[in-house]
Amino acid sequence: MSWRLSKFLPILLVILCACSPEEEQLIATASVDSWLPLSVGGMDIEVQVAITSVELRKGLMYRQSLGSDQGMLFPYARPQKMTFWMANTPLPLDIGFFDSEGVLIEIHRMYPFDTNRTVSRSDAAQFALEMNQGWFGRNGIFPGARLDLDKVARALRKRGVNPREYGFQEVD
């Protein structure tokens, strides 16, 4: 070990040991490209979770394919009216909007490269889930179905985000 590295190693160890268990849990182990388990209406799926403003804006743009039970989750810190579009997105998608309790409140069809905005009717949407077009219907997932919020909280934690920032009260 070099002299310079050995000089700073004790400082680094002190910093690492100073992290609380909660802070240690929030160290990101997954990127936006990671597939994380989720379920909606009892169906198990894999999602990529968009967290940063860049990820939220890009979404599934430029994506050439998506597995049959794969999608992208867009979590927001508080319920709101949501707006999405399909610019630079070659895949036909459906988007489901979920309220803060994880209840599916709307499903909209979206078309490749469409620059018209898809806007939620409700201002109570907190999560959006993009899946291949027709996925919700093929799997019997209709308004009233529930998003597994425990799995959402775990996915957020894996992305290095405190689920409390998204309104989760209890975090395991």
Side-chain angles (χ1 to χ4, degrees):
M1 184 181 318
S2 77
W3 176 83
R4 287 183 188 153
L5 183 58
S6 64
K7 183 177 177 181
F8 293 104
L9 190 57
I11 296 169
L12 180 61
L13 287 173
V14 168
I15 291 169
L16 289 174
C17 292
C19 291
S20 71
E22 184 176 301
E23 290 169 327
E24 286 177 26
Q25 283 184 326
L26 295 178
I27 296 171
T29 59
S31 72
V32 71
D33 296 322
S34 300
W35 292 102
L36 302 171
L38 201 62
S39 64
V40 59
M43 281 289 304
D44 290 332
I45 60 175
E46 291 182 312
V47 297
Q48 294 175 323
V49 181
I51 296 291
T52 68
S53 60
V54 171
E55 294 166 359
L56 290 166
R57 278 192 311 275
K58 182 179 178 190
L60 292 171
M61 285 183 179
Y62 312 106
R63 186 73 55 97
Q64 296 299 315
S65 65
L66 195 59
S68 61
D69 291 320
Q70 292 181 327
M72 183 167 275
L73 181 70
F74 300 84
Y76 290 86
R78 64 193 56 78
Q80 59 190 283
K81 186 173 283 286
M82 293 188 182
T83 303
F84 285 75
W85 69 337
M86 295 286 286
N88 303 311
T89 307
L91 301 172
L93 300 172
D94 282 346
I95 189 166
F97 294 113
F98 296 80
D99 68 13
S100 62
E101 300 295 315
V103 176
L104 180 59
I105 53 177
E106 301 174 30
I107 301 170
H108 298 270
R109 188 156 282 194
M110 300 192 304
Y111 298 94
F113 305 108
D114 187 358
T115 56
N116 292 313
R117 304 213 183 270
T118 299
V119 182
S120 65
R121 290 183 294 275
S122 173
D123 59 1
Q126 187 164 353
F127 306 96
L129 176 64
E130 289 182 341
M131 300 293 288
N132 285 307
Q133 198 170 84
W135 183 89
F136 289 95
R138 280 192 304 277
N139 290 286
I141 309 294
F142 300 105
R146 290 189 168 270
L147 186 62
D148 184 330
L149 293 181
D150 289 336
K151 289 183 180 179
V152 171
R154 283 193 286 276
L156 290 169
R157 196 175 302 110
K158 285 185 179 183
R159 285 297 322 275
V161 175
N162 189 333
R164 291 174 198 229
E165 294 176 30
Y166 291 83
F168 290 89
Q169 299 303 312
E170 294 186 28
V171 179
D172 60 8

